[in-house]
Amino acid sequence: MARFSIYSGLMLVGYSSLESGDPPMGVAFGQFEPTAGYLAIQNECRTNHVDQSGLTLSVKTESGVVVPSMAVAILDCTQELLPDCIEITILGIPSAFYEALFPYHVIKYAHQFVR
């Protein structure tokens, strides 16, 4: 499974395999693995679950290509729940990019309708 890099501006803040998704909605999400850079934005990710646009979050492929999207958000519930309960969600990925980056999500989605 691919490993994506998550940035806040130019600062690397973590990684994710984006192991889950909703292809028709262009949504990919997964467990977030923070780096040392995450400490600079962690408080905002813990307290602001509505609008994180000020963090200028972006996601890059292993080859360094930015994943186009409408929004990226980090949901950090480490204070309320378990210490490793941080999730990243990417919203509004164009379908052509989604199919190329997440073929497994697309296949899994299609198979749920086959009986």
Side-chain angles (χ1 to χ4, degrees), residues 52-76:
Q52 295 180 350
S53 59
L55 297 176
T56 60
L57 296 170
S58 63
V59 178
K60 292 185 180 180
T61 65
E62 291 174 320
S63 61
V65 175
V66 174
V67 177
S69 66
M70 297 297 291
V72 179
I74 298 172
L75 178 62
D76 186 332

Side-chain angles (χ1 to χ4, degrees), residues 25-100:
M25 297 297 290
V27 174
F29 58 96
Q31 183 71 33
F32 177 78
E33 305 164 26
T35 62
Y38 179 63
L39 292 175
I41 66 166
Q42 185 172 27
N43 186 57
E44 182 73 10
C45 295
R46 282 182 174 166
T47 59
N48 180 1
H49 297 161
V50 177
D51 181 7
Q52 295 180 350
S53 59
L55 297 176
T56 60
L57 296 170
S58 63
V59 178
K60 292 185 180 180
T61 65
E62 291 174 320
S63 61
V65 175
V66 174
V67 177
S69 66
M70 297 297 291
V72 179
I74 298 172
L75 178 62
D76 186 332
C77 296
T78 55
Q79 288 181 316
E80 298 88 5
L81 301 171
L82 302 172
D84 62 347
C85 188
I86 309 174
E87 184 176 275
I88 181 152
T89 303
I90 306 171
L91 307 167
I93 302 168
S95 60
F97 283 93
Y98 198 99
E99 290 172 9

Side-chain angles (χ1 to χ4, degrees), residues 1 17-22 27-31 98 102 105 108:
M1 191 168 277
S17 294
L18 299 170
E19 60 273 6
S20 300
D22 183 343
V27 174
F29 58 96
Q31 183 71 33
Y98 198 99
F102 306 106
H105 297 338
K108 184 178 175 183

